[in-house]
Amino acid sequence: MSVIVQKYGGSSVADLTRIGRVADRVVAARAEGHQVVVVVSAMGKTTDELLAMARDVSATPPRRELDMLLSVGERITMALLAIALQQRGEDAISFTGSQSGILTNDRHFDARIIEVRPYRIEDELARGRVVIVAGYQGMSYRREITTLGRGGSDTTAVALAAALHADRCEIYSDVDGVYTADPRVVPEARHLSALGYTELQEMAESGAKVLNAEAVAFARRERIQIHARRTDDAPGDAAARETVVRAEVSPAPRRVRAVVGDAHVAWLRGPADLPTAFDSMLAVADREGVPLRAAEWTSAGVSAWVSLPRVPDWERVAAALSAAGLTVLDPRSADAVACVSVVGDGLTEEGSVLRDVLAVAGVEGCTPRAVSSSAFRITLAVSRGAADGLTRALHRRFCES
Ligand code: ADP
Ligand code: ASP
Ligand code: MG
């Protein structure tokens, strides 16, 4: 019998009515003859609310205790969905991440899955049960509860699909797949029916919230096909769309596929007294448990980016980075910056894409503070207020013609 893994995000399980609808969908999948594992997120904005509560108690909550707190959000949903399924006559059982055998490293709040031992899930599937798994969490080798970084239920779903050799991994949310830009920012964004792992990973790492970057990296390593769908589309609806994420998609080279804006970043810069400045930036980041993006060392100075959703105690970390002599620009600063990226393949094979990107910024009256490019991505750092307008302008230039 084929195994399918379905993941339902926070908006899909935001209240009891929606949990009931998810239960109906799961019953329908069972009726098609599949063994079904369902990964759930916390209801609605629960994770944000729990985080805000912890921050009300302390501006710098210990990350271990945050994981104890935040992992509860997904456990509420898993139990309610199991109850809703049993109410519908479907045999179902819920498991936490640790009961599901999800073993991680011990980086609290942003842990990485090291191994999955899904024995209990396999036993329950063999008994004919639907297994509901609390997403976004695991257990470290020290037997501590960990969470997998914001949006980490996607990672749970992909990791379980790999460990269970599932036929499909279906990710359900409030959009019917991946678009050429965030439809909330760019109403003209176009739906993509198929997308390669590399492009989606670049999009996710540039800050597109639609799928978690670690989940896409996992899918790419394990060759798991992801089907991104909208929960509110009825199962079997011929008009419903999806995005299939897989390896074989070969987009036109030198073409921009998507535009991504990210305002939830901090920019670190330091003096050019090499190599000490670079070394001390890396050492502080390491000590404070902060992953750095695009760390760079040139004769003009050192710089790096931090994705703020990955750092729950940013005030403490920012103070430590400033104390080490770094200039920290974050959303609290008067001249806060945001990143706007175009993503594609072979973007630097000719200089023209980069020049076109800069020309669009110029027409928008937007002077980039920094520019970086690779074959798959061109990123401009711009003032925060200019980011959405530039995202729309780049989308018009590259994705609407
Ligand atoms: P869930 O809670 O179900 O995991 P998320 O909120 O994490 O859902 O992701 C879905 C959201 O991602 C959408 O509401 C959309 O605004 C946003 N998004 C950002 N970039 C894109 C994109 N390129 N394509 C589609 N959705 C995107
Ligand atoms: N509930 C977690 C979050 O809000 C994980 C997830 O939804 O994927 O980040
Ligand atoms: Mg998500």
Side-chain angles (χ1 to χ4, degrees):
M1 206 188 267
S2 62
V3 177
I4 62 172
V5 175
Q6 300 188 325
K7 177 256 166 175
Y8 293 92
S11 57
S12 308
V13 292
D15 54 38
L16 294 182
T17 311
R18 287 178 168 273
I19 290 178
R21 273 191 229 140
V22 167
D24 292 337
R25 286 197 80 117
V26 174
V27 171
R30 278 290 290 154
E32 283 175 16
H34 303 291
Q35 292 184 322
V36 186
V37 175
V38 187
V39 175
V40 288
S41 289
M43 295 170 69
K45 301 267 172 237
T46 302
T47 309
D48 290 329
E49 287 159 12
L50 293 172
L51 197 50
M53 260 165 123
R55 287 203 182 115
D56 279 349
V57 180
S58 161
T60 57
R63 294 183 188 185
R64 177 191 183 275
E65 302 308 327
L66 278 179
D67 280 355
M68 295 300 262
L69 179 68
L70 299 183
S71 56
V72 172
E74 274 58 20
R75 294 177 64 156
I76 294 172
T77 320
M78 78 177 189
L80 289 171
L81 181 58
I83 293 167
L85 280 165
Q86 291 180 32
Q87 175 68 20
R88 284 163 175 72
E90 193 69 57
D91 204 0
I93 182 167
S94 66
F95 284 142
T96 64
S98 58
Q99 288 174 312
S100 306
I102 295 175
L103 298 174
T104 72
N105 64 11
D106 58 4
R107 194 165 80 196
H108 283 292
F109 197 78
D110 200 27
R112 291 290 166 265
I113 295 176
I114 291 173
E115 197 186 336
V116 181
R117 298 182 188 162
Y119 311 129
R120 291 192 70 181
I121 296 179
E122 286 165 341
D123 288 350
E124 297 298 340
L125 289 176
R127 287 194 182 102
R129 289 181 166 155
V130 172
V131 180
I132 321 290
V133 176
Y136 175 56
Q137 57 188 272
M139 185 179 68
S140 75
Y141 281 102
R142 297 181 186 172
R143 305 186 72 81
E144 293 280 16
I145 300 297
T146 52
T147 62
L148 305 176
R150 298 306 307 267
S153 298
D154 295 340
T155 317
T156 306
V158 174
L160 284 177
L164 296 165
H165 309 290
D167 278 21
R168 278 207 306 279
C169 181
E170 303 170 348
I171 306 255
Y172 290 93
S173 74
D174 59 355
V175 272
D176 53 359
V178 182
Y179 282 66
T180 48
D182 185 345
R184 288 177 208 253
V185 178
V186 184
E188 295 78 15
R190 285 188 300 108
H191 182 264
L192 296 166
S193 55
L195 195 60
Y197 295 121
T198 309
E199 291 160 286
L200 185 56
Q201 196 177 338
E202 291 286 342
M203 286 174 72
E205 279 168 6
S206 311
K209 222 183 85 182
V210 62
L211 274 171
N212 174 287
E214 188 59 22
V216 183
F218 215 105
R220 176 190 194 166
R221 273 195 307 273
E222 304 283 340
R223 290 289 181 250
I224 300 295
Q225 262 197 26
I226 297 176
H227 296 255
R229 298 174 178 171
R230 178 162 47 209
T231 312
D232 287 350
D233 290 334
D237 177 354
R241 296 186 298 190
E242 65 170 359
T243 298
V244 181
V245 185
R246 55 185 160 80
E248 303 83 54
V249 183
S250 49
R254 295 179 289 281
R255 282 285 300 277
V256 171
R257 285 274 271 184
V259 186
V260 180
D262 187 5
H264 304 287
V265 288
W267 191 19
L268 315 179
R269 280 175 309 156
D273 58 334
L274 304 174
T276 23
F278 198 58
D279 199 43
S280 88
M281 179 173 80
L282 300 183
V284 176
D286 206 29
R287 192 183 69 219
E288 303 295 333
V290 180
L292 295 181
R293 189 156 96 188
E296 199 177 65
W297 163 10
T298 69
S299 56
V302 301
S303 80
W305 293 87
V306 179
S307 175
L308 294 175
R310 298 181 72 176
V311 188
D313 40 10
W314 174 245
E315 281 173 33
R316 183 180 62 78
V317 171
L321 290 162
S322 301
L326 292 158
T327 304
V328 179
L329 291 186
D330 65 19
R332 299 171 303 177
S333 342
D335 57 349
V337 286
C339 290
V340 178
S341 307
V342 299
V343 171
D345 196 356
L347 296 183
T348 45
E349 271 170 39
E350 292 168 9
S352 59
V353 180
L354 182 50
R355 284 179 53 220
D356 284 353
V357 166
L358 293 174
V360 171
V363 170
E364 285 296 293
C366 170
T367 311
R369 308 272 301 269
V371 179
S372 68
S373 65
S374 75
F376 302 106
R377 183 192 334 177
I378 295 169
T379 299
L380 307 188
V382 297
S383 77
R384 198 162 182 241
D388 283 355
L390 181 60
T391 303
R392 284 189 283 269
L394 288 169
H395 191 272
R396 266 196 307 279
R397 167 65 184 79
F398 290 107
C399 302
E400 287 171 41
S401 47

